[in-house]
Amino acid sequence: MQKNSINKVILIGHVGSDPELKYTPSGSSVASLSLATNEVWINADKEKKERVEWHSLIAWNKLADFCKEYIVKGQLIYIEGSLHTNTWQDKDGNSRKKVEIVCNIITPLEWKKEN
């Protein structure tokens, strides 16, 4: 088995919500947003089927600021990043897990004006 590994995600999809910008106690900006990707196929009964997958995206610092200024709900974007899994215990003591994509590239493929 190789010692090196790759954790890389590439997606093209539509933004599901306007980016939400927050700041860490040290002043770093972090944006969170959702992205929808879909696939369409025809099943054996000649019926059209569609499946939508939702992804949680995180962007830091200048990329987060870019998201807040230029990315809006419904916009088609290209992203590159890596998968990160966060685990925690909720208030009832249950284990929770969330998989997020930490973005290092976000490129708008169309420009939309905010309403």
Side-chain angles (χ1 to χ4, degrees), residues 2 4 6 8 12 14 16 31 33 37 40 60 65-66 68 78 82 84-85 88 93 104 110:
Q2 282 188 321
N4 298 330
I6 296 173
K8 185 170 186 171
I12 294 175
H14 287 92
L33 60 151
T37 56
V40 179
W60 289 92
D65 299 336
F66 172 84
K68 184 61 179 170
Y78 167 93
S82 57
H84 287 240
T85 303
W88 69 95
N104 53 31
E110 64 182 11

Side-chain angles (χ1 to χ4, degrees), residues 54-68:
W54 287 96
H55 311 276
S56 295
L57 307 181
I58 301 293
W60 289 92
N61 301 315
K62 289 186 180 192
L63 190 56
D65 299 336
F66 172 84
C67 286
K68 184 61 179 170

Side-chain angles (χ1 to χ4, degrees), residues 17-36:
S17 59
D18 288 336
E20 181 180 323
L21 190 68
K22 294 183 180 179
Y23 294 91
T24 65
S26 64
S28 296
S29 55
V30 59
S32 58
L33 60 151
S34 61
L35 185 76

Side-chain angles (χ1 to χ4, degrees), residues 41-49:
W41 71 95
I42 305 295
N43 69 8
D45 297 328
K46 306 280 190 226
E47 298 170 325
K48 182 179 177 181
K49 297 289 184 177

Side-chain angles (χ1 to χ4, degrees), residues 43-107:
N43 69 8
D45 297 328
K46 306 280 190 226
E47 298 170 325
K48 182 179 177 181
K49 297 289 184 177
E50 182 173 2
R51 185 173 78 93
V52 176
E53 188 74 33
W54 287 96
H55 311 276
S56 295
L57 307 181
I58 301 293
W60 289 92
N61 301 315
K62 289 186 180 192
L63 190 56
D65 299 336
F66 172 84
C67 286
K68 184 61 179 170
E69 186 158 348
Y70 296 107
I71 303 299
V72 295
K73 180 179 179 177
Q75 189 174 19
L76 185 67
I77 62 172
Y78 167 93
I79 71 102
E80 287 185 25
S82 57
L83 289 176
H84 287 240
T85 303
N86 294 316
T87 56
W88 69 95
Q89 299 261 332
D90 68 13
K91 64 182 178 182
D92 299 323
N94 299 314
S95 294
R96 299 287 181 198
K97 178 165 73 168
K98 182 175 185 178
V99 177
E100 298 173 318
I101 299 166
V102 176
C103 300
N104 53 31
I105 295 173
I106 298 178
T107 304

